[in-house]
Amino acid sequence: MRALQRGLQWGATLNSATFHIAAVSLLLMVLTCAGLVLVRYGLGLSSIAVQEAVMYLHALVLSLGLAGAWQRDGHVRIDIFYRNWSAQQRRRLNRVGTLLLAVPFAIFVLWSCFDYVQVAWQRQESSAEPGGLAWLWLLKTLMLVFPVQLLLAALWVGWGGDGTARTEETSR
């Protein structure tokens, strides 16, 4: 049981670190997109590789940031009833939601994307566009990273943490 708790803590720490990577990726995405627009309309130049870089950064933001946001209780929730419930009722609802929704979803995404990502790695897929980026296989790998992180966050929120989707880091 102690090993499981340590594993969940490790997963929560990993999700927190990748959440910071997502934050930096968001800043880079905004700056790159703004620069792309300025160069395109100011100088009349365009680059497929830079446009794809914006897409890659967007994928990083979403896939690496979602699990961290959930773990920090930063996700969207309609809390008409939830906000008035006791901590024990919230914990119970979070566990039920985790078991019935998050875990099956993450397992389904892992199962359905595995072959797709495996083929991308075997072919070392790159962009179909002339002048595009050569790392499409690496981008597709995020389709497996995301559900693994979601599972780690789900287990931490449901059983490793206090059950209210907050880690010790968020209380600092």
Side-chain angles (χ1 to χ4, degrees):
M1 194 66 163
R2 190 172 178 96
L4 178 63
Q5 185 69 19
R6 263 186 295 185
L8 292 176
Q9 179 65 46
W10 178 84
T13 303
L14 177 69
N15 280 345
S16 184
T18 57
F19 187 75
H20 293 303
I21 293 170
V24 171
S25 297
L26 180 61
L27 177 63
L28 289 173
M29 182 182 74
V30 169
L31 293 174
T32 305
C33 194
L36 184 64
V37 169
L38 289 174
V39 169
R40 179 183 292 162
Y41 293 108
L43 302 175
L45 301 173
S46 181
S47 169
I48 298 294
V50 176
Q51 291 173 19
E52 287 186 359
V54 170
M55 280 191 334
Y56 281 34
L57 288 167
H58 188 251
L60 275 172
V61 169
L62 290 177
S63 62
L64 299 181
L66 286 174
W70 183 28
Q71 188 172 297
R72 294 167 178 259
D73 204 20
H75 60 290
V76 175
R77 176 187 291 127
I78 300 172
D79 64 351
I80 296 168
F81 303 109
Y82 189 86
R83 66 179 167 203
N84 296 324
W85 289 356
S86 69
Q88 184 179 5
Q89 288 173 314
R90 289 180 185 189
R91 192 170 20 260
R92 193 174 299 135
L93 179 66
N94 285 339
R95 285 183 176 165
V96 168
T98 296
L99 280 175
L100 295 180
L101 300 171
V103 170
F105 171 75
I107 291 170
F108 175 75
V109 171
L110 269 173
W111 171 77
S112 63
C113 293
F114 187 80
D115 291 337
Y116 184 67
V117 174
Q118 185 179 21
V119 168
W121 272 73
Q122 288 170 346
R123 295 180 182 171
Q124 294 289 297
E125 275 189 277
S126 63
S127 174
E129 300 294 326
L133 297 177
W135 313 303
L136 187 59
W137 55 274
L138 198 54
L139 178 70
K140 288 183 177 183
T141 303
L142 291 174
M143 291 188 297
L144 298 179
V145 171
F146 164 68
V148 168
Q149 283 193 279
L150 187 63
L151 279 171
L152 290 171
L155 294 172
W156 176 255
V157 168
W159 290 273
D162 64 1
T164 59
R166 295 198 183 270
T167 63
E168 293 81 22
E169 182 178 311
T170 59
S171 61
R172 290 182 198 160

